[in-house]
Every structure is written in structure tokens, then in C-alpha cells.
């Protein structure tokens, strides 16, 4: 894949980074509305979701029984445990921390997304420190070679969260966040009446629900993640580059500070809950493993 500098210097990518920075600072990208269908929500949580800015989406974050500040406290603990285990070369502590992150990522439910990764981590326990360090080295590189994710290393909707917490400047990228990135690119392209640049073709995945998460239109086609580890890793890297570049330009208080990337992820996570259907026909979803 291309280097970080080469990628960010592509004209379409540079223009999208500028637009994303403006959205982070409060520019409206449109009116995003849907009905939150989760079975268990606080009594005072408004199920009629509306957001026209990224900050508004961030303010509505709720996942696994927690609002953002509660969830961030939990992630801070996971982050510290993962990094301490890597520093101390403590494979047992690392395995326990990974397990907790995977369970958090599955919404606290013992579903296939969780067990599939839990069992892999346990089976690879002797090599887990090395595999995680190698994965982080690739994900944090300015000149990455994602080929090891073809088989030796692991990338999916569960492990993307482990890497984001264990490393620096790495964005969580599951099907729901990918859907939101695609939706923003759709808004970007349609406002400029341009075709979808290959460099901004962020892949998505439908998750377990029947809600639409496909941002495609007849003119703008976004691919699916489809459980392809290397493909997933490459787009995770590029999404991280874009997010960090835009956050560096933004000045809004809500997305500043050490957890700025977590705030942006939270906004995308809410936008990706359901993507507004395009006016034109979109490709039919097919199931994939992920959120």
C-alpha cells in the first residue's frame, strides 16, 4: 500500500481532510435521522436520533449500558492494562486484557464475534505478545506493509478495538464506523458532484441487524469488508491517517485533548447505526461478521 505522505497528498484525500476538519469544527453535513431500536436503553434516552454535526452525534453516544464518559473510563483501564502487559512482556495479563476488550466490543454478549476472537487469542497465547507487537508496528508505520494480515496476523471488528487501545493514533474501524466514513464521503462527493475516488472508498459491513449501513448509491459504490483481514487493515490504517490529520487541523473543544480520536470514533459509531438510504437503488446487503 502507499505511504502515509503519498496517501494524504492525493488531491481528493487532502480536500476530504479539510472538509472533515470543518465538520469537526461544527459545519453541518446534513440532517441525519433514525429511530434507535436497541431493546435496553435508559428511560430518558431519546430514541429519535437527530444529528447534523459530528459533535451532536458524539453527544448521543451510548453503548453497552454506558454513556461516553463512563465508556471512556473503562477504555482507559483497558488501554493501561494492554500497554503495561506489552511493556512487561506479560502474556497472561495481555490475554486477559484482550478478552475484556473483545467482550466490550461485542456489547458484553457471548456471541460469535467475541468467541471467534477469544478462541484465536487463547490458541495463539504463546505467540500473542509477538503478534500484537508486530501488528502495532504495521498499523503505526508511515510506510506500512499489511501483507502479514493475510494469515499470520489478525484484523476484524473485534481486534480493531484491541489495536486502537494498545497503540497510538490508531482508529477503531469496524463495519459501523466504516459505514459512517462512507456516509461522510458520500456527502462530500455529492456536494461537489464528483465520482467516488478510490482512495476514499471506505468499506462497510452490515452487522447483525437489518438496518441499512450501506452508504452506496448508483454513482458511488462502497465495498464491503467481507472478513478480509489485510483489506480491513489497509483501510483501518488509511482511515486513521485521515482522522488524525483532520483532528490536528480542528480547533473545537469537543474533539481536542488526549482522547480526541476516541471522541471522533464515538461520533462515527452513532452515525453508522443506520445510514439514510440513497434516493437511488443500492446494492443488497449480505451478512458479515462484525458490528
Amino acid at each position: 500500500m502507499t505511504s502515509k505522505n503519498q496517501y494524504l497528498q492525493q488531491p481528493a484525500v487532502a480536500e476530504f481532510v479539510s472538509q472533515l476538519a470543518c465538520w469537526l469544527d461544527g459545519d453541518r453535513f446534513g440532517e441525519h435521522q433514525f429511530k434507535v431500536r436497541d431493546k435496553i436503553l435508559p428511560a430518558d434516552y431519546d430514541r429519535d436520533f437527530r444529528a447534523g454535526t459530528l459533535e451532536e452525534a458524539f453527544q448521543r453516544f451510548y453503548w453497552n449500558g454506558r454513556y461516553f464518559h463512563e465508556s471512556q473510563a473503562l477504555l482507559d483501564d483497558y488501554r493501561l492494562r494492554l500497554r503495561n502487559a506489552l511493556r512487561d512482556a506479560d502474556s497472561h495479563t495481555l490475554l486477559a486484557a484482550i478478552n475484556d476488550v473483545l467482550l466490550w466490543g461485542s456489547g458484553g454478549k457471548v456471541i460469535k464475534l467475541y468467541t471467534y476472537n477469544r478462541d484465536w487469542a487463547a490458541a495463539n497465547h504463546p505467540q500473542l505478545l509477538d503478534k500484537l507487537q508486530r501488528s502495532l508496528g504495521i498499523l503505526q508505520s508511515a510506510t506500512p506493509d499489511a501483507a502479514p494480515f493475510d494469515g499470520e496476523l489478525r484484523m476484524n471488528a473485534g481486534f480493531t478495538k484491541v489495536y486502537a487501545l494498545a497503540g497510538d493514533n490508531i482508529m477503531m474501524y469496524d463495519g459501523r464506523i466504516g459505514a459512517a466514513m462512507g456516509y461522510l464521503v458520500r456527502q462530500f462527493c455529492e456536494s461537489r458532484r464528483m465520482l467516488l475516488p478510490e482512495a476514499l472508498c471506505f468499506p462497510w459491513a452490515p452487522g447483525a441487524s437489518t438496518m441499512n449501513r450501506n452508504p452506496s448509491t448508483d454513482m458511488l459504490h462502497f465495498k464491503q469488508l467481507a472478513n478480509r483481514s489485510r483489506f480491513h487493515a489497509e483501510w483501518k490504517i488509511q482511515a486513521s491517517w485521515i482522522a488524525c490529520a483532520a483532528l490536528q487541523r480542528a480547533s473545537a473543544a469537543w474533539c481536542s485533548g488526549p482522547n480526541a480520536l476516541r471522541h471522533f470514533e464515538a461520533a462515527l459509531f452513532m452515525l453508522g447505526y443506520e445510514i439514510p438510504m440513497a434516493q437511488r437503488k443500492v446494492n443488497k446487503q449480505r451478512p458479515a461478521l462484525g458490528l
Side-chain angles (χ1 to χ4, degrees):
M1 60 183 296
T2 186
S3 71
K4 179 179 180 180
N5 286 340
Q6 289 173 327
Y7 180 73
L8 292 176
Q9 288 171 5
Q10 294 182 52
V13 173
E15 189 175 356
F16 181 68
V17 168
S18 296
Q19 177 61 76
L20 183 54
C22 291
W23 282 330
L24 288 165
D25 279 338
D27 281 11
R28 302 187 73 82
F29 51 77
E31 197 63 32
H32 195 63
Q33 300 182 35
F34 53 80
K35 179 76 71 172
V36 179
R37 301 172 179 82
D38 293 5
K39 293 181 180 179
I40 302 176
L41 289 171
D44 60 349
Y45 190 91
D46 186 0
R47 289 180 177 270
D48 292 318
F49 179 95
R50 296 181 183 84
T53 69
L54 289 172
E55 183 177 7
E56 288 173 353
F58 164 71
Q59 291 170 343
R60 295 297 312 279
F61 179 86
Y62 190 83
W63 171 247
N64 196 20
R66 294 177 174 86
Y67 289 102
F68 182 81
H69 70 282
E70 300 167 314
S71 187
Q72 185 60 59
L74 194 63
L75 295 185
D76 286 342
D77 176 65
Y78 294 158
R79 176 181 180 274
L80 184 62
R81 289 167 56 198
L82 286 167
R83 294 182 181 219
N84 285 348
L86 286 170
R87 181 198 64 201
D88 299 337
D90 185 342
S91 61
H92 294 287
T93 299
L94 181 63
L95 183 61
I98 288 174
N99 180 78
D100 287 349
V101 175
L102 294 173
L103 190 58
W104 171 82
S106 70
K109 301 173 183 176
V110 183
I111 56 178
K112 186 176 180 181
L113 173 64
Y114 165 67
T115 59
Y116 176 68
N117 286 312
R118 177 203 63 190
D119 294 347
W120 181 89
N124 286 271
H125 182 207
Q127 301 85 32
L128 204 53
L129 280 163
D130 176 66
K131 287 181 179 292
L132 189 58
Q133 289 168 337
R134 289 176 61 203
S135 298
L136 293 175
I138 295 169
L139 297 172
Q140 294 173 133
S141 174
T143 56
D145 175 9
F149 284 101
D150 269 336
E152 300 173 59
L153 305 179
R154 194 169 188 83
M155 179 65 72
N156 54 41
F159 265 87
T160 182
K161 300 168 179 69
V162 173
Y163 300 134
L165 296 174
D168 294 321
N169 299 321
I170 301 174
M171 189 168 80
M172 297 182 190
Y173 191 102
D174 57 19
R176 184 162 160 173
I177 287 180
M181 286 293 288
Y183 172 71
L184 292 177
V185 170
R186 184 174 98 183
Q187 301 296 87
F188 169 77
C189 290
E190 290 185 339
S191 69
R192 290 160 175 76
R193 297 186 177 182
M194 61 186 287
L195 296 176
L196 176 61
E198 179 61 31
L200 297 176
C201 186
F202 293 104
W204 59 281
S209 71
T210 58
M211 295 174 291
N212 181 62
R213 288 183 180 163
N214 184 354
S216 300
T217 69
D218 282 349
M219 298 297 294
L220 308 172
H221 176 67
F222 295 86
K223 301 173 184 177
Q224 289 197 43
L225 284 172
N227 304 322
R228 290 176 286 174
S229 188
R230 178 178 178 176
F231 179 71
H232 193 157
E234 289 175 344
W235 280 104
K236 175 182 172 71
I237 291 168
Q238 291 174 160
S240 299
W241 289 343
I242 281 181
C244 291
L247 285 164
Q248 287 177 351
R249 296 190 187 188
S251 58
W254 78 272
C255 59
S256 62
N259 288 321
L261 190 53
R262 302 287 88 87
H263 287 218
F264 177 52
E265 289 166 354
L268 292 176
F269 184 76
M270 294 309 299
L271 289 181
Y273 183 91
E274 184 169 11
I275 302 299
M277 295 287 289
Q279 295 300 312
R280 297 171 295 278
K281 181 180 178 182
V282 297
N283 288 336
K284 188 176 181 180
Q285 296 183 165
R286 57 186 174 88
L289 181 64
L291 290 181

